[in-house]
Amino acid sequence: MLSSAFRRATTNAASRSPAFTTARRTMAMVGPASGGEISDELLAKLGSLSTQALVDGLWVMGWPAAQIDGARPLHSSHKCVGRAVTLNFVPARPDIAADKPPGGESPEYEAFEKCGPNEVLVMSSVGPWESVGGDIKFLRLKQRNIGGLVTDGSVRDTDEIINYGFPCFSYSTTARQGPAAMQPWECNGVISVSGVTVRPGDAIVGDQDGVVVVPAKVAETVYGIAHGREVIEDIVKEELVQNPGPPGKFYPFMSGKIKHDSPLAKLLATKGITPENSNQFEGSADW
């Protein structure tokens, strides 16, 4: 009896010790990096929409901000769509530099080789003015025919990167060298880019307004909302061209909130769009 009580007391005391707690925490499961899969067909459909429509789609669903404000197109012609391949940089430290796989085994080159026409490399920098790379490194991305590059850091050798032809979105450009400030540490983990979470496989869509992250888990739903909104916007613009006047009578206009008896609803009815076949009206939202 004494022995049994002693064992229980010893076990309870050990379970409260810092060492036991730390060991237990290290055994915790880590969630999957990727949130789902996006087909080539759905990827192309998402790329046909504007970033603002995609942002609005996520917004009405109640999802957090999805626009990477710290990434601007390097050239006015740049647009991109692709599945995210992620690369995380961490601040430079001697032991980090020593422990990072060397040369061609570095996480950044691992990420490069995962990229192709339907992928966008998303690089999380430690600061907006730090260089994530330049012409020599990114020549490999040209060879891979990458779908795009997005970073909240800066890039070097701007003219040459533009000549490479792949879409590039960055905070800015710089002449700085990157290794003095940061090191590539992980390929295809969950990263934060300008405060926006990016998971491998998420859809990345970029145009002149910026870059939007569409989570793979809800990509189909976001497309349905955003596409429906763009159709309606085109109808409204066509009406205002044919019958010039203030657009205010068609507002407020929010997906899933269009009132059935509003001037906008009446205009849409003339085009065959009704609560019975559209998710843009009050009571018809399917998300």
Side-chain angles (χ1 to χ4, degrees), residues 82-86 118-122 188 198-204 213:
R83 302 178 191 88
V85 173
T86 64
N118 284 329
E119 283 75 43
V120 171
L121 179 58
V122 185
N188 265 357
V198 184
R199 301 178 75 174
D202 285 347
I204 307 297
V213 181

Side-chain angles (χ1 to χ4, degrees), residues 87-92 123-132 151-154 176 178 180-184 192:
L87 178 65
N88 192 40
F89 284 85
V90 296
M123 309 172 86
S124 177
S125 176
V126 302
W129 296 108
E130 306 304 340
S131 170
V132 298
T151 181
D152 54 357
S154 293
R176 292 186 186 187
M182 60 185 182
Q183 291 285 334
S192 172

Side-chain angles (χ1 to χ4, degrees), residues 6 28 65 72 94 119 123 125 131 139 147 166 175 194 197 203-204 208 211 225 252 256 273 285:
F6 179 77
R72 303 297 305 163
E119 283 75 43
M123 309 172 86
S125 176
S131 170
L139 175 60
F166 61 78
S194 290
T197 300
I204 307 297
Q208 292 303 296
V211 177
I225 300 170
I273 299 176

Side-chain angles (χ1 to χ4, degrees), residues 1-273:
M1 186 69 152
L2 179 60
S3 175
S4 175
F6 179 77
R7 284 197 301 270
R8 285 198 299 271
T10 302
T11 300
N12 290 339
S15 68
R16 291 192 295 270
S17 72
F20 183 89
T21 302
T22 300
R24 185 168 56 189
R25 285 173 179 166
T26 62
M27 296 172 63
M29 296 294 290
V30 176
S34 176
E37 296 184 1
I38 297 177
S39 68
D40 289 348
E41 179 184 5
L42 178 55
L43 195 65
K45 291 196 295 185
L46 290 167
S48 71
L49 301 178
S50 67
T51 52
Q52 62 88 8
L54 296 171
V55 166
D56 287 346
L58 284 160
W59 177 60
V60 298
M61 292 176 64
W63 279 65
Q67 179 163 329
I68 300 176
D69 291 323
R72 303 297 305 163
L74 204 58
H75 189 270
S76 61
S77 65
H78 286 183
K79 292 189 66 175
C80 75
V81 59
R83 302 178 191 88
V85 173
T86 64
L87 178 65
N88 192 40
F89 284 85
V90 296
R93 216 171 70 172
D95 58 332
I96 291 290
D99 290 343
K100 180 182 72 69
E105 301 302 315
S106 173
E108 62 186 325
Y109 302 126
E110 177 188 358
F112 287 9
E113 297 307 306
K114 292 181 181 294
C115 293
N118 284 329
E119 283 75 43
V120 171
L121 179 58
V122 185
M123 309 172 86
S124 177
S125 176
V126 302
W129 296 108
E130 306 304 340
S131 170
V132 298
D135 60 343
I136 294 179
K137 286 185 179 181
F138 294 159
L139 175 60
R140 183 55 180 158
L141 299 182
K142 174 187 177 182
Q143 294 169 345
R144 297 289 300 173
N145 195 25
I146 191 173
L149 167 65
V150 171
T151 181
D152 54 357
S154 293
V155 296
R156 304 173 69 195
D157 307 306
T158 306
D159 290 342
E160 192 65 17
I161 293 175
I162 291 173
N163 288 336
Y164 284 167
F166 61 78
C168 181
F169 294 75
S170 66
Y171 179 83
S172 189
T173 60
T174 184
R176 292 186 186 187
Q177 291 183 333
M182 60 185 182
Q183 291 285 334
W185 186 246
E186 183 185 20
C187 168
N188 265 357
V190 179
I191 62 175
S192 172
V193 184
S194 290
V196 175
T197 300
V198 184
R199 301 178 75 174
D202 285 347
I204 307 297
V205 181
D207 59 21
Q208 292 303 296
D209 288 332
V211 177
V212 174
V213 181
V214 181
K217 192 176 292 290
V218 293
E220 190 76 57
T221 303
V222 172
Y223 172 77
I225 300 170
H227 178 258
R229 180 183 177 90
E230 286 215 331
V231 168
I232 292 174
E233 287 188 348
D234 286 343
I235 291 173
V236 170
K237 285 188 288 187
E238 180 184 9
E239 172 66 16
L240 292 172
V241 168
Q242 294 178 353
N243 299 289
K249 64 181 178 180
F250 298 123
Y251 284 87
F253 169 23
M254 182 186 299
S255 296
K257 297 292 185 180
I258 298 175
K259 295 187 178 299
H260 294 209
D261 59 350
S262 66
L264 177 56
K266 294 174 182 177
L267 171 62
L268 296 177
T270 67
K271 305 295 183 178
I273 299 176

